[in-house]
Amino acid sequence: MCKYLSIVAIIAAIVVLGYTDESNICKREHASSMATFVRDAKNCSVYSICVLGRSMGKMACSSGLVFSITYNVCVRKNQEKDDCNKTSSLGGISDDKLCDDYPNGNNRNPENCHSYIPCFNHTSMTVMQCPDRLHFSLKLQRCVLAKESDCEIDDPRCVKKHGNNVDPDDCSRFISCTNGTLMAFQRCGDGTLYYPKNDSCQFAHAVADDCGNRRIPDTILIPDEDPMCQDVKDDVVPDPSSCYHFYYCHYGRLGPRHRCPAGTAFSTHINIIDLSANSHPVTFVVRLL
């Protein structure tokens, strides 16, 4: 009997300690009567649920995920929604000035237009996110299309106020902006990088030199120029081991190996496929246009 009483006492002590925790995890300004989320200062994958400045318990994201204080959910590590290096004091604050417009309603997030801060009795709650590509409208008290929103926060990364801009940190991504407000981070497909000169994603080896100081992810491999393509940057070259095969060169890199149609061979003089029986060329030209 004493053994069971001891176990119950230990469990009760843990619950009490967890509830009365007023350490650095749940600061006193997080005094909301509703739950707010606070990320652990030492581990981005761990967060606490706070009520009245007290921790109700710690939670941990699944492997490969971190907790985002912007979206209040677990997101993929090292992806665009990973804000592990960011700190924020928004939400869960009593007598919050951000609640001045609507003490019992939704208010602007001063950091971006895609989210808002619910308030109750002049106390701010956890930041809420609008659905993708929508902005919060203070006047309408809901998320709307960007053109209908009254939110205008000029982002220095939106050099072009309407359209796509380079991501200053990552050459494989670009930024979509509307009214000078950052709408979303977009990532190019595998093996490609964003090329602002024609506002598109191009093969990495073709535009890598234009990235400047923008980082190229380690997952994007850029092959060195091939000696076979040294004199032919963008054209076809013969296969030195077979008269019936040839290669494409693209920006000095050797491309796939191709076989000539049956009954033909590759001409090293005019870079087209000839009838193998004589020197008269057929009309099937393989020169890159």
Side-chain angles (χ1 to χ4, degrees):
M1 185 70 175
C2 292
K3 178 179 179 181
Y4 292 115
L5 289 175
S6 298
I7 294 174
V8 171
I10 291 172
I11 294 174
I14 292 174
V15 172
V16 171
L17 287 173
Y19 184 76
T20 58
D21 179 16
E22 291 186 338
S23 64
N24 290 331
I25 297 175
C26 289
K27 298 179 180 179
R28 289 183 181 275
E29 63 260 27
H30 291 280
S32 168
S33 59
M34 297 181 67
T36 57
F37 301 100
V38 180
R39 187 170 59 198
D40 190 285
K42 297 180 179 179
N43 187 345
C44 288
S45 297
V46 176
Y47 61 98
S48 296
I49 303 174
C50 299
V51 177
L52 297 174
R54 295 176 174 83
S55 173
M56 302 303 294
K58 284 188 175 183
M59 305 291 288
C61 298
S62 302
S63 177
L65 302 181
V66 293
F67 186 76
S68 167
I69 58 176
T70 302
Y71 297 91
N72 282 311
V73 294
C74 293
V75 299
R76 291 186 182 278
K77 189 175 182 179
N78 297 325
Q79 298 297 319
E80 54 264 28
K81 293 183 179 180
D82 178 358
D83 54 11
C84 189
N85 296 323
K86 175 184 175 183
T87 58
S88 176
S89 60
L90 299 177
I93 300 176
S94 298
D95 196 23
D96 195 335
K97 292 183 178 180
L98 296 178
C99 298
D100 286 350
D101 290 328
Y102 289 88
N104 289 287
N106 299 322
N107 292 269
R108 285 194 180 102
N109 180 352
E111 296 182 353
N112 65 68
C113 291
H114 336 294
S115 60
Y116 59 93
I117 302 174
C119 293
F120 180 72
N121 289 337
H122 224 280
T123 297
S124 59
M125 305 294 135
T126 298
V127 176
M128 302 295 291
Q129 293 295 315
C130 290
D132 286 347
R133 300 185 180 279
L134 297 187
H135 282 189
F136 174 71
S137 170
L138 183 66
K139 181 180 179 180
L140 299 176
Q141 284 289 287
R142 57 188 174 86
C143 296
V144 297
L145 295 174
K147 63 181 180 181
E148 301 172 358
S149 173
D150 49 19
C151 178
E152 292 185 3
I153 300 177
D154 286 337
D155 193 302
R157 292 169 294 186
C158 294
V159 179
K160 290 192 298 183
K161 293 185 178 295
H162 298 275
N164 298 325
N165 292 267
V166 298
D167 183 332
D169 301 316
D170 190 333
C171 200
S172 68
R173 301 191 310 186
F174 57 95
I175 298 169
S176 296
C177 298
T178 300
N179 294 330
T181 300
L182 192 155
M183 293 294 294
F185 287 94
Q186 308 280 356
R187 186 172 294 279
C188 292
D190 293 342
T192 64
L193 299 172
Y194 179 66
Y195 189 52
K197 292 182 180 179
N198 61 6
D199 190 23
S200 65
C201 295
Q202 300 289 328
F203 286 117
H205 63 261
V207 298
D209 293 339
D210 292 278
C211 287
N213 294 327
R214 290 180 292 147
R215 182 180 66 89
I216 298 177
D218 296 335
T219 55
I220 297 180
L221 302 179
I222 302 177
D224 294 330
E225 290 193 13
D226 195 283
M228 286 181 62
C229 300
Q230 185 174 1
D231 299 323
V232 183
K233 298 294 184 181
D234 290 280
D235 211 329
V236 289
V237 292
D239 184 342
S241 62
S242 171
C243 293
Y244 306 104
H245 295 84
F246 59 94
Y247 292 92
Y248 283 109
C249 286
H250 189 242
Y251 285 90
R253 276 78 178 181
L254 193 66
R257 184 175 186 252
H258 295 272
R259 181 180 178 85
C260 295
T264 64
F266 187 79
S267 169
T268 58
H269 300 291
I270 53 178
N271 281 12
I272 63 174
I273 297 174
D274 292 351
L275 291 172
S276 55
N278 54 56
S279 60
H280 299 291
V282 296
T283 56
F284 185 85
V285 180
V286 296
R287 181 183 294 277
L288 289 178
L289 300 178

